[in-house]
Amino acid sequence: MMVALLSLGLAQAVWADNVPDFKETFQAAEQGFAAAQYNLGLMYANGQGVHQDDAQAVRWYRKAAEQGYAQAQYNLGVRYDNGRGVRQDYTQAVQWYRKAAEQGLADAQYNLGMMYANGQGVRQDYAEAVRWFRKMAEQGLAKAQYNLGLSYAQGQGVSQDYVQAVRWYRKAAEQGHADAQNNLGVMYDNGKGVRQDYTNAVQWYRKAAEQGHAGAQINLGMMYEKGQGVHQNYAKAVEWYHKAAEQGHAQAQNNLGVMYDNGQGVRQDYAQAVQWYLKAAEQGYADAQYNLGLMYEKGQGVRQSKIVAKEWFKKACANGDKQSCDAYQKLD
C-alpha cells in the first residue's frame, strides 16, 4: 500500500485584502508606513496598478520586514525560498520565516517546520520540525496535522507511535486533506494504531481517491481487486487503476497491465497490457519490467524476441527483482 511521503509543498505568499490605489500606497510607503510598504510589495508582485516587478516586490517587502511586519517577513522568506526577485537562498528564507513564525504567523511556522524537516537553510532536525508542526497542528492547520501524523508514523523527531499518527491523520483527514485521508486508510488497512478494518480503509481511500489522489486510487483499486472492505469487483478495480495510471503512477500502470493481461474486469488484450507495462517499465518499475520481459519472451502483444526479453529481465534484476534475475539467467 502506498504511504504518502512528507509533503514538500510550502505555503505561498499572503495576499492583502482591498489593496488601495498605487499612488496612495506609494506615498504612504515612502513615508515609512510598514503596512503600506507591504501592500506596495504585493502590488509589484501581482501587477496591481503597476507593471509586475519581482525585484521591486522584494525591495518593499524588505522595508516592511525590517520594521517587524510579520506578513512582509513571511513573504520575503517565500521570495528567498523560491528565488523570485532575489537569488535563491534557503538560509535567508529560514531567517525571515523565523522572524514571522516567532510572531505567531501560521504559514511561517509551517514553512519553518518544512525547512527543518528537509534540511534547507538549516541542519536537518526532525525534532525542531515537529516542534513547529505541533504549534500549528494544535491550532487546526490540516497540513501541519498531516505532517505531525507522518512524523509519528515514521518516528522522525518523536518516538514512533502509530496511535498518535492515527490521531493526527484523522484530524487532517476530517478537514479533507487527501494525503491524510489516504494514510489513515493505510493505517486501517494494515491495523497500525487502530484495529484492522477494511471497510474503514475503503472509506478513507475513497475520500482521497475522489479528490484525484493517485496513491488512494490505486489503493482503492486493490481493495476492489481483492474484495477487501467491498465486494470483489474487477471492473471497479480497473476503473480506479486507470485513473491513477493516467496520472503516471507506475504501480497503477503495471496493475492495469496485469488486468488486461489476465482479462480481469476488461476483455483480455495483450497489446493493451504491453502498452501499460511499457509505461511503468520506462519509469524503472521492476514488476512491470519483468512482466514486459515475459510478454516479449512469449510473444504476447508484441513480436516474440528473447533478446528484448533479456533486456527487460536485466533491467528488473538490476532493480532488485529476484525472479527477473532467474529469468535472465535462464534465457542467457
Side-chain angles (χ1 to χ4, degrees):
M1 292 296 174
M2 300 296 294
V3 179
L5 298 177
L6 185 64
S7 170
L8 299 180
L10 300 174
Q12 296 301 303
V14 177
W15 285 42
D17 294 325
N18 302 317
V19 178
D21 69 76
F22 177 79
K23 183 177 179 181
E24 178 185 334
T25 305
F26 184 82
Q27 290 174 343
E30 284 281 283
Q31 292 175 41
F33 290 100
Q37 292 170 340
Y38 166 69
N39 278 346
L40 188 57
L42 281 177
M43 295 177 84
Y44 274 113
N46 302 322
Q48 292 174 287
V50 66
H51 289 298
Q52 197 273 341
D53 188 325
D54 288 327
Q56 283 295 317
V58 167
R59 176 189 174 210
W60 290 105
Y61 285 154
R62 189 184 307 280
K63 288 181 180 291
E66 288 173 348
Q67 293 195 64
Y69 199 83
Q71 288 178 313
Q73 292 169 338
Y74 166 71
N75 282 16
L76 186 54
V78 171
R79 290 287 168 154
Y80 275 111
D81 203 347
N82 296 336
R84 287 191 60 189
V86 68
R87 182 176 58 82
Q88 188 176 54
D89 187 331
Y90 292 135
T91 302
Q92 284 290 312
V94 167
Q95 174 188 322
W96 291 109
Y97 284 154
R98 190 184 306 281
K99 289 180 182 294
E102 288 172 349
Q103 294 193 62
L105 192 66
D107 284 334
Q109 292 175 335
Y110 175 78
N111 282 15
L112 185 56
M114 292 303 303
M115 301 303 273
Y116 275 107
N118 298 322
Q120 293 176 315
V122 288
R123 181 176 58 82
Q124 190 173 52
D125 187 334
Y126 291 123
E128 189 68 7
V130 165
R131 183 170 80 87
W132 289 106
F133 290 151
R134 192 182 303 280
K135 286 179 182 289
M136 295 319 303
E138 289 174 348
Q139 294 181 52
L141 187 69
K143 60 189 176 183
Q145 293 170 336
Y146 163 70
N147 278 334
L148 187 54
L150 198 60
S151 297
Y152 275 111
Q154 297 178 343
Q156 292 182 323
V158 287
S159 298
Q160 190 175 54
D161 187 330
Y162 292 133
V163 173
Q164 283 294 315
V166 166
R167 176 193 174 207
W168 290 108
Y169 283 155
R170 189 184 306 280
K171 288 180 181 290
E174 288 173 348
Q175 294 192 62
H177 193 288
D179 284 337
Q181 291 169 337
N182 177 64
N183 284 18
L184 185 55
V186 171
M187 302 303 271
Y188 274 110
D189 202 346
N190 297 330
K192 290 185 176 181
V194 287
R195 181 176 56 81
Q196 189 175 53
D197 186 329
Y198 293 135
T199 301
N200 263 309
V202 167
Q203 172 192 326
W204 290 110
Y205 287 153
R206 191 182 305 280
K207 288 180 182 291
E210 289 174 348
Q211 293 192 63
H213 191 288
Q217 289 170 341
I218 186 173
N219 286 346
L220 186 55
M222 291 170 70
M223 301 304 273
Y224 274 110
E225 183 181 351
K226 298 174 183 176
Q228 293 177 324
V230 288
H231 292 297
Q232 189 175 52
N233 187 325
Y234 291 135
K236 281 287 186 183
V238 167
E239 176 187 331
W240 288 109
Y241 288 154
H242 200 277
K243 289 179 184 291
E246 288 289 349
Q247 295 190 61
H249 195 293
Q251 186 180 357
Q253 291 168 340
N254 177 67
N255 285 18
L256 188 55
V258 171
M259 302 303 274
Y260 276 108
D261 201 345
N262 297 329
Q264 293 176 312
V266 287
R267 181 176 56 81
Q268 189 175 52
D269 186 329
Y270 292 136
Q272 280 290 311
V274 166
Q275 174 189 323
W276 290 109
Y277 287 152
L278 180 61
K279 288 179 183 289
E282 288 177 340
Q283 293 190 63
Y285 194 74
D287 285 349
Q289 292 170 335
Y290 172 72
N291 288 341
L292 190 55
L294 289 178
M295 302 303 275
Y296 274 103
E297 183 182 10
K298 298 173 183 175
Q300 293 177 324
V302 288
R303 179 178 295 179
Q304 187 177 42
S305 172
K306 294 190 177 182
I307 293 174
V308 177
K310 279 177 60 180
E311 290 176 2
W312 286 112
F313 289 149
K314 185 177 181 180
K315 289 178 186 290
C317 179
N319 283 326
D321 188 73
K322 177 65 167 60
Q323 62 183 345
S324 296
C325 299
D326 294 339
Y328 177 82
Q329 290 173 359
K330 181 180 176 182
L331 283 182
D332 201 40

